[in-house]
Amino acid sequence: MRFTKGRLAIPELPEVETVRRELEPWLKDRHILGAELIDAVPHVKYANLPNCVGQRIEAVNRRGKFLLLPLDGGDELIIHLGMTGIVTAKKPEKHIRVHLELTDNDTSNHLYFQDTRRFGRFLVVKQGEYKSMPTLHAMGVEPLSDDFTDSVFKAVLQKSSTAIKTYLLSQKPVAGVGNIYADEALWQTKIHPLTPSNKVPAKKIPLLREAIVDILKKSIDAQGTTLNDYRTVNGEVGAYISELKAYGHAGEPCQRCGVILEKSVVGGRGTHSCPYCQKLPKS
DNA sequence: CGCATTTCCTGGTAGC
DNA sequence: TGCTACCAGGAAATGC
């Protein structure tokens, strides 16, 4: 599969972090004056939305791919972009799910959440209470924090025999790794996507950890310098896309060994890997 | 309980 | 050209 013109940029950790940095100066310390649910959507994804009205946004934080906005009344606004979620002050023409009215101190007092494919979430919980959100509740360590060490990563990989690719996507071993970066990190470190997590060779665990960190950091840098408007679907190729070695390159020669890269399905997700470089460990 | 599979949803696109 | 069928994805729900 190739990146075709108009293809959506899937929000992974680097793009969500870019969004967070944009939202912070806009939203921090504003009061929410009104909250309107625009479209008929599964209620659970927009639970308790009216509760945010009257509260002040204390911060704009990120946990994995989730945006967490603590409110001064003890609640927390959670935003997940899913595949197509866009947070914007400019009213979109279609697919608006939420409209917030904010403190009226300039022209940016309206917030719209647009979500074409309805995979996103926009809900209010009591601060830190993620029981209704199993992925967030069981979220692993932040990859860009000092807590993401070799020993921590090794310990969590020992806990599961699930395929390493699937386990990474579960967000349990480390937060924020999506389909693209999972494929990239596994290609980089020559690990077969189906390798049981607890069978990843010990010597490769530090390499995988390092690859995840490096790729995410590099991608954050690329997003920050290349995309002028993170809110829009950008059909042009972003800088990080040109760095991809595996994702989207099935049918092309591996840049390391020249063997044709394969496309497969792992855990129900499109998976790109090199049949020569990425071998399953003998067992 | 743990792991695997299915579901949600819509626009783009391949194929006829 | 117009129609149908299918695919992509993160997280939750369901199945085994």
Side-chain angles (χ1 to χ4, degrees):
Chain A
M1 180 198 67
R2 295 296 304 149
F3 293 98
T4 54
K5 189 168 190 209
R7 182 179 169 78
L8 301 176
I10 308 301
E12 309 239 355
L13 185 149
E15 194 166 3
V16 177
E17 176 59 21
T18 305
V19 170
R20 191 201 68 73
R21 292 175 185 183
E22 286 268 353
L23 292 182
E24 188 170 50
W26 172 25
L27 298 180
K28 187 167 157 37
D29 294 327
R30 291 203 185 227
H31 286 80
I32 299 170
L33 305 180
E36 183 186 4
L37 195 54
I38 304 289
D39 206 343
V41 290
H43 181 261
V44 65
K45 293 183 178 178
Y46 296 86
N48 307 314
L49 184 64
N51 290 4
C52 71
V53 175
Q55 298 191 58
R56 178 175 56 85
I57 298 169
E58 293 186 313
V60 180
N61 301 323
R62 181 190 55 73
R63 184 81 172 92
K65 303 169 199 165
F66 290 81
L67 291 165
L68 305 178
L69 286 65
L71 308 173
D72 70 349
D75 285 337
E76 185 171 318
L77 182 60
I78 299 181
I79 304 172
H80 195 292
L81 302 176
M83 279 182 71
T84 54
I86 293 172
V87 180
T88 177
K90 188 185 174 197
K91 188 176 183 179
E93 292 189 7
K94 296 195 287 186
H95 309 306
I96 300 172
R97 309 302 173 201
V98 174
H99 168 219
L100 296 186
E101 192 181 345
L102 304 168
T103 316
D104 188 13
N105 55 6
D106 62 33
T107 56
S108 302
N109 64 324
H110 293 282
L111 180 153
Y112 298 93
F113 182 62
Q114 179 193 37
D115 185 23
T116 302
R117 295 193 190 177
R118 299 178 188 270
F119 272 32
R121 283 146 220 278
F122 200 113
L123 67 156
V124 177
V125 301
K126 293 290 173 196
Q127 264 177 41
E129 289 195 7
Y130 306 139
K131 279 172 286 190
S132 65
M133 312 183 74
T135 302
L136 185 54
H137 189 251
M139 185 82 64
V141 62
E142 280 295 318
L144 304 184
S145 77
D146 292 339
D147 297 333
F148 188 36
T149 62
D150 288 339
S151 61
V152 163
F153 195 37
K154 183 173 183 179
V156 73
L157 292 187
Q158 293 308 313
K159 285 200 216 173
S160 176
S161 58
T162 302
I164 183 65
K165 154 116 183 190
T166 306
Y167 197 39
L168 287 172
L169 293 186
S170 78
Q171 309 296 296
K172 288 175 185 169
V174 59
V177 175
N179 202 37
I180 293 173
Y181 298 115
D183 280 5
E184 290 302 300
L186 294 174
W187 180 89
Q188 188 81 37
T189 50
K190 304 183 187 178
I191 297 170
H192 193 291
L194 289 175
T195 307
S197 298
N198 56 7
K199 297 281 175 54
V200 173
K203 64 179 179 181
K204 286 202 173 183
I205 292 174
L207 299 178
L208 180 57
R209 190 199 62 76
E210 196 178 353
I212 289 169
V213 172
D214 287 351
I215 289 167
L216 293 177
K217 279 185 176 173
K218 202 182 290 182
S219 185
I220 289 174
D221 291 344
Q223 291 282 37
T225 57
T226 304
L227 297 182
N228 294 323
D229 188 354
Y230 66 86
R231 297 179 189 84
T232 58
V233 173
N234 191 340
E236 298 302 313
V237 174
Y240 77 97
I241 287 179
S242 66
E243 297 294 320
L244 297 180
K245 310 293 188 194
Y247 189 91
H249 290 285
E252 299 171 25
C254 174
Q255 291 183 31
R256 201 161 38 206
C257 73
V259 170
I260 300 300
L261 297 179
E262 289 180 344
K263 175 97 179 266
S264 62
V265 176
V266 175
R269 290 292 162 260
T271 298
H272 315 71
S273 59
C274 174
Y276 181 80
C277 293
Q278 296 170 262
K279 292 277 205 316
L280 278 169
K282 292 171 235 165
S283 57

